[in-house]
C-alpha cells in the first residue's frame, strides 16, 4: 500500500511566511538528483508531474509515495531559483517532520 507524503491540507510558505503560490515540490531518489515518481492515488496508478506544482493556496494535493522507494524532497519557489528546504530519506509520512515543511 502506498504512503501519503503529507496531509493534503498542508500549506507551504516561503521564508517570510507568505503562501508559496506556484512553489515546486521536487522528488528524487534519496541522495541523488534522479527524479522519482510520486502518485495521485494510493494504487500508484497515476504519476504526479515532477515537480508537483503548488496551487494558489500553497497546497500540493494528493502525493502518494511508492513504499519501495526512498525519496528526497526539495521545496523551491515557482522558478526553482530559491530552495526553502530539502528533506532526504523519506519513505513514509512518519519520516517527514511536517512542522519543518510547512
Amino acid at each position: 500500500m502506498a504512503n501519503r507524503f503529507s496531509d493534503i491540507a498542508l500549506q507551504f510558505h516561503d521564508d517570510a511566511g507568505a503562501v508559496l503560490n506556484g512553489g515546486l515540490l521536487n522528488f528524487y531518489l534519496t541522495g541523488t538528483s534522479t527524479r522519482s515518481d510520486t502518485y495521485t492515488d494510493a494504487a500508484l496508478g497515476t504519476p504526479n508531474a515532477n515537480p508537483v506544482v503548488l496551487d494558489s493556496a500553497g497546497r500540493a494535493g494528493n502525493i502518494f509515495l511508492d513504499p519501495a522507494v526512498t525519496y528526497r524532497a526539495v521545496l523551491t519557489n515557482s522558478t526553482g531559483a530559491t530552495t526553502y528546504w530539502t528533506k532526504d530519506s523519506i519513505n513514509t509520512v512518519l519520516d517527514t517532520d511536517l512542522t519543518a515543511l510547512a
Side-chain angles (χ1 to χ4, degrees), residues 18-96:
V19 169
L20 199 51
N21 176 5
L24 305 174
L25 267 172
N26 299 270
F27 289 90
Y28 305 94
L29 294 175
T30 193
T32 75
S33 59
T34 303
R35 290 196 179 276
S36 189
D37 286 338
T38 63
Y39 299 86
T40 63
D41 58 293
L44 306 178
T46 306
N48 282 309
N50 193 358
V52 174
V53 180
L54 303 180
D55 66 16
S56 62
R59 293 188 173 97
N62 285 322
I63 300 176
F64 288 91
L65 306 177
D66 182 337
V69 174
T70 304
Y71 295 86
R72 178 169 67 101
V74 179
L75 178 68
T76 69
N77 67 350
S78 61
T79 66
T82 302
T83 298
Y84 296 106
W85 54 254
T86 299
K87 175 68 177 172
D88 216 337
S89 299
I90 299 169
N91 184 262
T92 70
V93 72
L94 298 176
D95 293 336
T96 308

